[in-house]
Amino acid sequence: MMAKALRVTTPAPTDIVLTRVFNAPRHLVFDTLTRPELLRRWFGARGWRLVECEVDLQIGGSWRFVSVGPGGLRMAQGGVYREVQAPERLAYTESYDDQWVPGESVVTAVLTEHAGLTTLNTTLRYSSQEVRDLVLATPMERGVGESYDRLDEVFASR
């Protein structure tokens, strides 16, 4: 069975939920979300690459990613881990250095496995509906979709 395309829903005024099925076991999907050597292989839309990737995977530990894209554009983001329950759940704060998205959001990733496929449900919770709608108006959906397609390529190469 093949992985499926990214599904984006807005179940609450401040939330965006990203859902994607991967043809890989849950523990491996969790590792690709949390291990710098794996994140560098897939994180970001096509044309972007992760040039800095720091992960202190523990409650209260911080993370920071810096990506470089077309024309040398830079995007930096980071936050603090609030929950780490390998391989089923991860929650952390996220904010961008350049205020691409104002303020801080809370990201919760839940991984469920069935018949060798892993469903990744990621909830992005923003401070207001206005901020959520601002994010929805960006190319975020395309970027996340391309990033997850790149992740599929990592799984296919194993």
Side-chain angles (χ1 to χ4, degrees), residues 76-87:
Q77 68 209 84
V80 175
Y81 290 103
R82 291 184 167 182
E83 288 182 64
V84 178
Q85 297 174 21

Side-chain angles (χ1 to χ4, degrees), residues 24 28 39 62 79 96-97 134 152 155:
L28 183 55
L39 282 156
S62 62
Y96 289 81
D97 286 10
L134 179 70
D152 270 337
F155 295 138

Side-chain angles (χ1 to χ4, degrees), residues 21-135:
V21 177
F22 294 99
N23 188 9
R26 180 169 73 165
H27 71 88
L28 183 55
V29 177
F30 187 90
D31 285 351
T32 64
L33 298 175
T34 57
R35 290 178 44 195
E37 68 274 16
L38 295 173
L39 282 156
R40 283 187 185 93
R41 293 179 58 190
W42 69 271
F43 187 88
R46 297 210 183 271
W48 288 81
R49 71 183 195 287
L50 210 47
V51 294
E52 290 179 36
C53 183
E54 300 167 11
V55 173
D56 181 13
L57 189 62
Q58 61 181 328
I59 294 172
S62 62
W63 66 275
R64 180 166 170 77
F65 299 166
V66 178
S67 300
V68 174
L73 285 172
R74 292 176 68 84
M75 183 171 56
Q77 68 209 84
V80 175
Y81 290 103
R82 291 184 167 182
E83 288 182 64
V84 178
Q85 297 174 21
E88 64 269 355
R89 189 174 168 90
L90 189 63
Y92 51 90
T93 60
E94 178 178 63
S95 60
Y96 289 81
D97 286 10
D98 60 5
Q99 291 301 305
W100 175 76
V101 174
E104 185 176 79
S105 59
V106 176
V107 180
T108 304
V110 177
L111 297 87
T112 54
E113 184 177 344
H114 180 73
L117 299 176
T118 298
T119 301
L120 173 60
N121 273 302
T122 305
T123 301
L124 312 170
R125 179 159 291 153
Y126 297 96
S127 58
S128 68
Q129 183 171 348
E130 292 74 24
V131 173
R132 183 205 69 180
D133 291 348
L134 179 70
V135 172

